[in-house]
Amino acid sequence: MQIMSGKDISKAYGTDIIFEDVCFGVDKGDRIGIVGPNGCGKTTLLSIIAGALEPTSGEIYIRSGYSLGYLRQQNQFQMSGTVLEEAEKSFAHLYEIENRLAYLQDAITDHSSDTFDKDLAEFTELSEKYEELGGYTYKSELNATLAHMGFREEDKGKTMDLLSGGERTRLALSCILLRKPDILMLDEPTNHLDLKMLAWLESYLDSYKGTIIVVSHDRYFLDRITNRIFDLTDGTLEAYKGNYSEFTVKREALREAMMREYEKQQAEIARQEEMIRRFKQHGTEHLTKRARSREKRLAMLDVIDKPVIKQDKMKLSFDADYNSGSEVLEAEGLSKSFDGRQLFKDAGLLIRKGERVCIIGNNGIGKTTLIKILMGLEKADEGYLRTGYNVNFGYYDQGQLLLDENETVLGEMKNAYHLYTDTEMRSLLGRFLFRGDDVFKQVKDLSGGEKAKLSLLKLMLSGANTLVLDEPTNHLDIESKEIVEDALLEFKGTLIIVSHDRYLLNLIPDRILELTENGLVEYKGKFDYYLEKNRGNEEDAEPGKADSAEQFAEMLRTSEAERQAKKQQEAENRRRARKAEETENRIHELEAKIADLQEEIISPENSADPDWLRQKSEELADMEAEVSALYDEWMELQ
């Protein structure tokens, strides 16, 4: 069943046409990913569908009765509101029902009231609706969702002005998910999420009962979530069935078919033109008529435009000016705290020339701090660090804080590499799609993707033999991400990368280091290997400095203690499972009693006994309160 459609949607700003005559249909239960290069209008189209932006022309239709939730990239909250207050707004409809139920609860205690029967019927109907809407479990759901999005108990009282941009985005996402709209529209929902948050979000959306429309550059996420892809490129939209990987295959096949059709028609046109030329060359009346006839048919031919197979691409490559020594970095026992809070301790590693190492970990654990320590930009509280011979670091900062916001694009590059002439530098900037007057834009006016490309150009020119990259694929469209990945794969030097990009993590590293509060845990493989080990074989991972025999011996010494701890944890899990089962049985028992008692209360033969009705109403309220508490307990046990 189609629940949404767009007909001839166009958007232009003056003479700048973003897209034109876009048409699409959305069926109930669709999971649609909108993809395309930066600047193609993905966010604009999503805003038009959500009603936040008017199209230049065209119409959007949404079936009546379907609610819509929209996650923007930039979200506005009241600066005075707290995390908990903003999240609780998602359940405003339940608070209204609670207030009405409380009023009706008091009203039906007066059995002599003229409205008793009406109030009792409304109370019963509203109680059922409250339960259907999750009235007995929403508090647990709220707490669980905030926890999965990285908000600790002490964070719930924070006001909006104390939150970072990433925290506001995660809170906005939490609020949207808690509302459970029929149509869920998400603009780059995976930004600012660590790997655990991503895994939870994908699991949540996998079981989501509504329709999902998402703009994302996260290929792994699109593969997991979508069953249709809208490709918004060159101002037009093409729809494909399947996830992102299936889309790339189908799009390539379609482009090849279009090119074959174009080349076939061009060959036929050339053949006809040659025949016309030969007919005219002979000069006979008969052949001249045939030439004119063919010219008319050729003039009426619907000529196929040449398909645009390849767009302009950033041209990126990394080359080291000279080689480093065989050992690039060695660290032992690194620890770091901020404002009295321990980020990590006992972090150790050994990185050799030519290795590709990716560092992962939860948000706030200190990954950026760790790589700054490794480069000597920050000092560790404790520990030993040695930088190898001839090591020259090149640093990509995910926040682009190394760029001068008040400088122009050309000025930023000339300040860093002043030996290049303006002509040479503009040629280099052209490789990164800064052309014409783009080079005179101020850095502060650039998009996130443009700033990322400028930082990558600076890194490319550095000639560093050890590249340290902090989230290098953030803000880039999918095509640019692939270009960065190809350049990193071809680089002969050493790579140290902090990333949550699971495609990159499955492509680049020789090994993955997970930063935890107690140090680094090594996984000698790519992201799929990391996932496999975390499904039940985490004990095979080697914490700390992987090449350290002393740490290996320490693992052996502690194995018995770990086995005991595992046994205790398994016993605790069995106890919680038994308790959860007992709680669930008690809930079923009480719900059956509540249903029986509600039928007795509304029975006509009992309406004449006000004392009995008052007593039973109080019993009903007590049982419903107990059920609510049991649901909270059961959710905790899960």
Side-chain angles (χ1 to χ4, degrees), residues 156-282:
K156 293 178 182 177
K158 284 185 178 180
T159 53
M160 295 301 103
D161 57 324
L162 297 178
L163 299 184
S164 66
E167 287 173 326
R168 289 190 193 182
T169 298
R170 297 202 306 271
L171 177 58
L173 178 57
S174 300
C175 294
I176 291 287
L177 297 180
L178 289 169
R179 291 192 197 107
K180 297 185 180 69
D182 299 314
I183 303 171
L184 186 61
M185 300 178 59
L186 307 173
D187 194 356
E188 295 291 356
T190 62
N191 284 356
H192 310 293
L193 302 187
D194 60 33
L195 292 174
K196 288 184 178 178
M197 295 174 189
L198 285 168
W200 178 82
L201 178 62
E202 287 170 353
S203 176
Y204 182 94
L205 294 179
D206 188 52
S207 59
Y208 195 76
K209 295 180 180 178
T211 300
I212 299 172
I213 304 175
V214 58
V215 168
S216 181
H217 293 144
D218 187 330
R219 294 155 290 177
Y220 200 99
F221 178 78
L222 290 170
D223 270 346
R224 290 286 305 276
I225 296 303
T226 60
N227 60 14
R228 293 180 70 197
I229 296 292
F230 286 176
D231 180 23
L232 189 59
T233 304
D234 295 327
T236 62
L237 185 146
E238 294 289 340
Y240 297 80
K241 289 184 179 180
N243 63 14
Y244 180 77
S245 292
E246 293 171 311
F247 149 72
T248 58
V249 173
K250 292 178 179 178
R251 179 183 60 180
E252 190 61 29
L254 177 63
R255 286 177 172 178
E256 289 177 358
M258 291 169 62
M259 181 57 76
R260 285 195 300 270
E261 194 67 25
Y262 167 79
E263 290 173 348
K264 179 182 176 181
Q265 187 186 64
Q266 288 296 308
E268 178 61 20
I269 290 172
R271 189 178 73 86
Q272 292 292 336
E273 288 175 341
E274 176 63 16
M275 291 178 68
I276 291 169
R277 185 188 67 79
R278 289 182 179 181
F279 287 163
K280 288 182 175 180
Q281 191 176 36
H282 286 283

Side-chain angles (χ1 to χ4, degrees), residues 463-583:
N465 55 40
T466 302
L467 301 183
V468 182
L469 303 104
D470 194 357
E471 300 289 358
T473 57
N474 274 10
H475 307 297
L476 296 177
D477 58 39
I478 292 174
E479 193 170 68
S480 297
K481 287 184 179 187
E482 291 169 350
I483 292 168
V484 170
E485 289 163 355
D486 289 343
L488 293 176
L489 285 171
E490 292 173 5
F491 180 56
K492 304 302 181 184
T494 306
L495 294 175
I496 303 171
I497 304 172
V498 170
S499 183
H500 293 136
D501 185 335
R502 291 161 295 177
Y503 247 68
L504 181 147
L505 291 172
N506 253 339
L507 188 67
I508 299 296
D510 306 311
R511 55 191 173 115
I512 288 175
L513 300 178
E514 182 177 19
L515 183 60
T516 71
E517 292 179 355
N518 297 312
L520 289 162
V521 181
E522 181 182 77
Y523 299 86
K524 293 183 177 178
K526 303 188 190 304
F527 184 68
D528 284 344
Y529 177 80
Y530 164 80
L531 286 180
E532 178 186 338
K533 287 298 180 183
N534 273 273
R535 289 192 184 104
N537 298 309
E538 291 181 357
E539 65 273 12
D540 292 337
E542 300 172 32
K545 182 179 173 184
D547 295 338
S548 172
E550 175 58 28
Q551 288 197 341
F552 182 68
E554 180 64 22
M555 286 176 63
L556 294 178
R557 288 195 294 271
T558 59
S559 61
E560 181 60 28
E562 290 174 350
R563 280 196 293 271
Q564 291 297 326
K566 185 177 180 180
K567 284 184 179 180
Q568 292 175 4
Q569 184 61 52
E570 289 173 348
E572 172 65 13
N573 290 343
R574 289 194 296 271
R575 185 195 67 78
R576 291 174 69 88
R578 287 195 301 271
K579 181 64 175 174
E581 185 177 1
E582 292 170 3
T583 304

